[in-house]
Amino acid sequence: MRRLATFLLTVFVLMPLSAQDWGLNWISAPWQSDTDQVWFSRGFSLSAKPGKARVEVASSGHFQLFINELNVTTRLLEPFAQQGEDTLHVVSYDVKPFLRQGFNSLRVWFSPTCSSPKQLSLTLVAEMGRRRFALTTDGSWLCTYAHARTFADGHEEVDGRYHIKKPAAMALWQPAKEQKNVSPSFRMADFIGKTPYEVRSFTCSMMEADTTQSRVCTYRCGLAFEGRVSVSLTGMKAGDTLRVNRHVYVCNGRDGEQALQRFAIGESGTVRIEGPARFSANNVDLVEAILIRPLAELGARPFPAGHLSAYDDEPIVFLDEHDDD
């Protein structure tokens, strides 16, 4: 039966979208936006801890999947898709280790890569002995704005005051919109599973501070790379706005906070940071380049043996379901 289900899913994925609706249940945020990042959420209960469990996620954008507040995806970019790409991506996860008897929560953090009314389709199947539990995306899911936006040119704007550690209080969540009989903006899917890529990270060195504008400083990465930049900050105030290359970050004011793009990637060999009038290099503890695909080596430095940033493995702590603060 499992092989048959896998075969049928493969058949769906290889057929043009114009021929059918993939047999998937699609949802989206109820408001119209091609840039907003969105949290989708659904709670459910299991009578026992499952012996087997899988989740299939189809999305027209990037996403991160969380079960019981733990990051299931963990990879730096899921799926590996370019901004504006018109390809549907389906990814499968073994989620048995994340599930428990009793109440469980599913949350998906979605970032658009193209204009489409169909943002997310998810199916969960859990087996508990002879019993089977199944759940899919529908109008019972809730969603809320993630206080971040991804734009068609690939740059990202993130409000750190709300975005990472404190999604909106449950009073601001609203029912997701079911999308049926709506023509998709992407044509067909040619991808199942995970695209392999190598992730490395290394520290960038201070290149110069603008003496005429103390609020601007530049760092040399040592490599021209495609990936992301993480900036660890100190002494910033809540609401301070930074521009890191072309990306925008609004500070939360906590020492050690990181200005980090969550879904956007770009190409760069240097990092230019511009902040408010009182901003200087003293506010920067660390600048880290997180490479997804190295483009070319600059100078004589060997390519560093890197690691995935520990920040990516850090569980997100959500507000209590009944906390209105």
Side-chain angles (χ1 to χ4, degrees):
M1 179 61 71
R2 183 185 307 161
R3 291 180 179 177
L4 176 59
T6 302
F7 171 76
L8 291 175
L9 176 61
T10 304
V11 170
F12 278 132
V13 172
L14 294 178
M15 292 177 63
L17 281 175
S18 57
Q20 41 74 49
D21 199 26
W22 299 90
L24 303 177
N25 296 320
W26 290 95
I27 60 173
S28 70
W31 61 89
Q32 296 293 321
S33 175
D34 293 335
T35 62
D36 286 358
Q37 294 180 17
V38 181
W39 281 107
F40 293 97
S41 179
R42 176 71 154 80
F44 61 97
S45 293
L46 295 175
S47 59
K49 182 173 176 60
K52 298 178 182 179
R54 297 202 69 82
V55 165
E56 301 279 352
V57 182
S59 174
S60 59
H62 299 306
F63 63 86
Q64 286 189 329
L65 170 65
F66 297 85
I67 295 181
N68 294 325
E69 299 163 5
L70 296 175
N71 189 349
V72 177
T73 42
T74 65
R75 286 162 39 97
L76 193 66
L77 190 66
E78 190 77 288
F80 191 86
Q82 300 295 330
Q83 197 69 24
E85 185 175 326
D86 60 352
T87 301
L88 178 69
H89 296 265
V90 182
V91 187
S92 177
Y93 302 96
D94 177 4
V95 297
K96 172 190 170 183
F98 299 91
L99 296 173
R100 61 197 178 201
Q101 182 179 6
F103 181 80
N104 293 263
S105 66
L106 270 173
R107 280 185 174 146
V108 178
W109 184 358
F110 168 84
S111 174
T113 57
C114 63
S115 176
S116 172
K118 299 183 177 182
Q119 294 179 332
L120 176 69
S121 178
L122 180 148
T123 300
L124 164 70
V125 178
E127 297 181 6
M128 296 153 288
R130 296 184 179 181
R131 290 171 294 174
R132 173 172 291 191
F133 174 87
L135 177 150
T136 189
T137 38
D138 57 23
S140 67
W141 282 63
L142 299 176
C143 64
T144 191
Y145 174 51
H147 292 279
R149 296 186 292 171
T150 307
F151 293 85
D153 64 1
H155 89 271
E156 193 171 33
E157 295 182 359
V158 176
D159 192 334
R161 294 172 296 179
Y162 312 99
H163 189 50
I164 303 298
K165 291 295 183 183
K166 193 175 182 181
M170 290 307 296
L172 300 179
W173 293 67
Q174 54 187 299
K177 183 178 181 180
E178 294 186 21
Q179 296 289 353
K180 297 180 179 179
N181 302 317
V182 177
S183 298
S185 58
F186 32 77
R187 295 176 292 103
M188 62 180 296
D190 57 4
F191 175 95
I192 302 179
K194 298 182 178 181
T195 301
Y197 59 82
E198 186 176 20
V199 176
R200 299 184 180 185
S201 63
F202 61 96
T203 302
C204 302
S205 58
M206 181 71 183
M207 188 167 74
E208 63 179 354
D210 192 324
T211 55
T212 61
Q213 300 182 36
S214 62
R215 64 196 191 97
V216 177
C217 51
T218 307
Y219 290 77
R220 186 188 303 278
C221 298
L223 294 171
F225 69 95
E226 182 173 7
R228 297 179 189 157
V229 173
S230 172
V231 181
S232 297
L233 300 165
T234 185
M236 305 300 295
K237 293 184 178 180
D240 283 348
T241 299
L242 294 181
R243 183 174 293 275
V244 181
N245 288 344
R246 59 179 179 167
H247 305 286
V248 176
Y249 177 78
V250 181
C251 298
N252 58 41
R254 301 186 185 97
D255 281 344
E257 70 174 302
Q258 289 180 305
L260 171 68
Q261 307 109 53
R262 295 303 296 182
F263 295 100
I265 59 174
E267 299 177 7
S268 182
T270 60
V271 180
R272 183 181 187 273
I273 307 172
E274 180 179 352
R278 57 184 175 77
F279 174 78
S280 72
N282 294 329
N283 296 112
V284 179
D285 282 339
L286 178 69
V287 177
E288 184 181 32
I290 305 172
L291 287 72
I292 293 183
R293 291 187 302 188
L295 298 181
E297 189 170 339
L298 299 178
R301 296 184 182 184
F303 196 90
H307 57 276
L308 184 63
S309 171
Y311 182 77
D312 235 30
D313 293 327
E314 180 181 351
I316 286 186
V317 179
F318 294 99
L319 287 178
D320 184 87
E321 300 277 334
H322 305 290
D323 191 348
D324 294 330
D325 294 332

